[in-house]
């Protein structure tokens, strides 16, 4: 069993993570830390876990008793793990905090988007950072083009997501995250990313990203480019028409639609769950890869009522 600890276990995202982990067949959740919560049960904060998890918040986390730690906080305890990785060389660290000051490359942390970095995550990786949800969706919609050196000119990324994900500061960081990944993938790309909010209501879990990119390639050839990139991935799928967000809520799935509305441009629409992609789902997906498990372990499609 994989012994798991969580630093920042009282956050909403940590609650989402715990709901996945308590039913994960290869996980034993042993430690949960949150400042000011010592001695209380995890279920006293995340009420939906009543009857599922009797773990209490601990005063600290002992890395010697863990195989992996998830970080979703900016506490001294969390920072101790981020900055002292050499002390625990076998401990896996998955940072899902989206900390603005975190230089993950300087800390030798992999960018944890499996659609682009799966090989790195399965080949001895010990530390990874979870991408931001809007960035993850946009990169999934653009990566096949960058991989084939097809990006030219400015790209518009329009998005609809929950209000807590969409702030001026966070949107600026998302833009930089997308640019960093695209330019690292395609060195010749010198365009800009223009971020726009879609005036469209979404649920508290909804995520819709519409990418408009200059592209003269035939639509059938574009389909082949995307299929070649994602045909062996377990959570990203091409669909023939736009899908409402509720179809993927509560799941790790990302659905991608391609349209040529003009001969000179391509529109890529991506829908996903904003609490799973760029959040708890990606964190568990990364853990599965780090420990050599099947990607879908603990993340299989759940029952859903429309």
């Amino acid at each position: 069993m994989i012994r798991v600890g969580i630093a920042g276990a009282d956050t909403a995202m940590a609650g989402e993570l715990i709901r996945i982990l308590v039913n994960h067949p290869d996980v034993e959740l042993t430690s949960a830390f949150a400042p000011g919560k010592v001695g209380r049960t995890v279920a006293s904060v995340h009420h939906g876990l009543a009857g599922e998890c009797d773990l209490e918040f601990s005063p600290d986390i002992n890395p010697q008793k863990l195989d992996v730690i998830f970080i979703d906080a900016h506490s001294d305890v969390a920072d101790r793990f981020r900055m002292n990785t050499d002390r625990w060389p076998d401990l896996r660290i998955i940072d899902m905090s989206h900390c603005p000051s975190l230089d993950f490359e300087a800390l030798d942390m992999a960018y944890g988007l499996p659609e682009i970095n799966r090989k790195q995550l399965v080949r001895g990786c010990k530390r990874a950072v979870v991408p931001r949800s809007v960035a993850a969706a946009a990169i999934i919609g653009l990566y096949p083009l960058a991989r084939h050196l097809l990006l030219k000119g400015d790209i518009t990324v329009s998005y609809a997501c929950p209000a807590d994900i969409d702030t001026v500061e966070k949107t600026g960081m998302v833009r930089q995250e997308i640019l960093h990944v695209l330019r690292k993938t395609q060195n010749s790309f010198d365009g800009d990313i223009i971020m726009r909010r879609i005036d469209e209501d979404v649920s508290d879990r909804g995520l819709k990203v519409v990418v408009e990119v200059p592209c003269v390639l035939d639509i059938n050839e574009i389909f082949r480019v995307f299929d070649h990139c994602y045909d062996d991935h377990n959570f990203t799928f091409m669909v023939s028409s736009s899908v409402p967000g509720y179809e993927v809520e509560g799941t790790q799935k990302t659905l991608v639609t391609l349209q040529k509305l003009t001969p000179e441009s391509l529109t890529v629409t991506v829908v996903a769950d904003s609490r799973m992609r760029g959040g708890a789902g990606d964190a568990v997906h990364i853990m599965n890869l780090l420990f050599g498990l099947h990607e879908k372990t603990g993340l299989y499609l759940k029952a859903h009522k429309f």
Side-chain angles (χ1 to χ4, degrees):
M1 298 291 281
I2 301 169
R3 299 168 299 172
V4 172
I6 303 173
D10 58 340
T11 68
M13 191 60 72
E16 189 83 10
L17 175 66
I18 296 169
R19 290 183 185 94
I20 300 172
L21 294 178
V22 294
N23 291 310
H24 194 292
D26 295 290
V27 161
E28 179 187 3
L29 181 57
T30 65
S31 302
F33 171 80
K37 303 292 193 305
V38 177
R40 293 177 57 181
T41 64
V42 170
S44 71
V45 174
H46 306 297
H47 304 293
L49 291 168
E52 305 291 338
C53 179
D54 58 5
L55 187 68
E56 293 184 353
F57 289 103
S58 58
D60 202 348
I61 294 180
N62 185 351
Q64 295 179 338
K65 295 183 178 180
L66 297 178
D67 298 304
V68 60
I69 182 168
F70 293 90
I71 298 175
D72 193 34
H74 310 310
S75 66
D76 291 340
V77 169
D79 290 339
R80 174 161 55 96
F81 288 101
R82 288 191 185 102
M83 304 303 173
N84 295 282
T85 55
D86 291 342
R87 293 178 59 186
W88 310 289
D90 294 325
L91 179 69
R92 274 73 163 184
I93 299 173
I94 300 172
D95 197 315
M96 51 192 289
S97 67
H98 302 153
C99 178
S101 61
L102 182 66
D103 187 345
F104 66 89
E105 291 185 332
L107 295 173
D108 194 27
M109 301 181 79
Y111 185 68
L113 185 58
E115 280 79 1
I116 71 171
N117 271 343
R118 184 169 59 185
K119 287 183 179 179
Q120 182 182 3
L121 293 169
V122 301
R123 294 178 177 175
C125 180
K126 297 292 181 65
R127 295 172 290 276
V129 60
V130 174
R132 295 173 176 86
S133 56
V134 174
I139 291 166
I140 286 172
L142 289 165
Y143 178 72
L145 301 174
R147 187 178 174 185
H148 286 77
L149 309 181
L150 293 172
L151 294 181
K152 295 179 180 179
D154 294 344
I155 297 168
T156 301
V157 175
S158 303
Y159 61 94
C161 62
D164 62 305
I165 293 177
D166 180 30
T167 66
V168 172
E169 180 186 23
K170 290 180 180 179
T171 300
M173 290 186 291
V174 166
R175 174 182 169 275
Q176 289 300 323
E177 189 172 327
I178 297 169
L179 277 172
H180 177 77
V181 173
L182 294 183
R183 288 174 177 168
K184 191 172 183 179
T185 305
Q186 180 183 331
N187 293 333
S188 61
F189 174 61
D190 59 359
D192 198 3
I193 299 295
I194 302 166
M195 304 293 297
R196 291 179 180 170
R197 172 83 191 197
I198 298 175
D199 187 17
E200 181 176 321
D201 290 332
V202 294
S203 72
D204 185 56
R205 306 188 69 97
L207 175 62
K208 179 179 180 180
V209 173
V210 181
V211 175
E212 297 172 79
V213 55
C215 183
V216 298
L217 207 62
D218 177 77
I219 188 65
N220 293 320
E221 184 61 30
I222 295 172
F223 269 107
R224 283 191 286 272
V225 166
F226 275 75
D227 282 338
H228 177 72
C229 191
Y230 295 136
D231 65 351
D232 64 341
H233 285 267
N234 287 283
F235 294 112
T236 293
F237 300 94
M238 312 303 298
V239 292
S240 58
S241 59
S242 296
V243 176
Y246 62 76
E247 293 272 15
V248 295
E249 286 184 7
T251 80
Q252 182 66 0
K253 286 192 176 182
T254 299
L255 302 182
V256 181
T257 307
L258 304 175
Q259 295 176 289
K260 288 280 290 184
L261 301 180
T262 71
E264 295 80 22
S265 66
L266 171 68
T267 300
V268 185
T269 302
V270 182
V271 294
D273 182 316
S274 64
R275 310 301 175 182
M276 295 290 285
R277 297 312 312 246
D282 277 341
V284 175
H285 191 176
I286 292 166
M287 180 194 71
N288 288 342
L289 294 173
L290 297 187
F291 286 93
L293 302 176
H294 191 282
E295 290 181 78
K296 297 180 72 173
T297 306
L299 293 170
Y300 290 95
L301 182 67
K302 71 176 184 63
H304 193 82
K305 180 180 180 182
F306 298 141

